[in-house]
Amino acid sequence: MGVIEEGAKKSGILWLSLDRPRLAWHTWHDGAIYVVTGGGEQELPGLAGSERVEVTLRSKDNGGRLVVFDASVEVVDQAADAEAVAALAKDRLNAVDGAGLTARWAAEAQVVRLTPREPAAG
């Protein structure tokens, strides 16, 4: 999984194949990618109800496609996975409510773990 982990750590954004390709900011934590959707954050329609999603990571250097892979999708219990939520919150740039960010997420948003599967061909 070296190229996936490296790509996810170097770039704070990725593309998800949902109703259309959606740009999303994320955090790499403990072998998986975490994103937040809803609650005044990025809207990623259908993600939380999916079993899998196609993820595209692009090179931070030239913007070219670095790797495309399938990931399993799991909505996390934000209280139980507080360390991942804290890592995601730390990487949230320009939040209007920095101190209350995680409380807002707990009340209004979903944090989703994307666990890479085998890289897709192509």
Side-chain angles (χ1 to χ4, degrees), residues 25 36-44 92 95 97 101 104-105 109:
W25 63 271
V36 62
T37 180
E41 297 294 339
Q42 58 199 354
E43 293 297 330
L44 303 171
R92 172 63 168 102
D97 58 347
L101 184 64
R104 176 167 53 87
W105 288 355

Side-chain angles (χ1 to χ4, degrees), residues 40-109:
E41 297 294 339
Q42 58 199 354
E43 293 297 330
L44 303 171
L47 179 63
S50 298
E51 290 184 12
R52 57 161 290 283
V53 66
E54 185 181 88
V55 180
T56 302
L57 294 173
R58 296 195 172 273
S59 168
K60 191 170 185 174
D61 298 327
N62 63 20
R65 187 171 71 181
L66 186 62
V67 64
V68 177
F69 60 94
D70 280 344
S72 58
V73 176
E74 179 185 0
V75 176
V76 302
D77 177 331
Q78 294 182 49
D81 213 345
E83 190 176 304
V85 173
L88 188 60
K90 183 174 79 64
D91 286 347
R92 172 63 168 102
L93 303 178
N94 305 317
V96 294
D97 58 347
L101 184 64
T102 56
R104 176 167 53 87
W105 288 355
E108 303 173 10

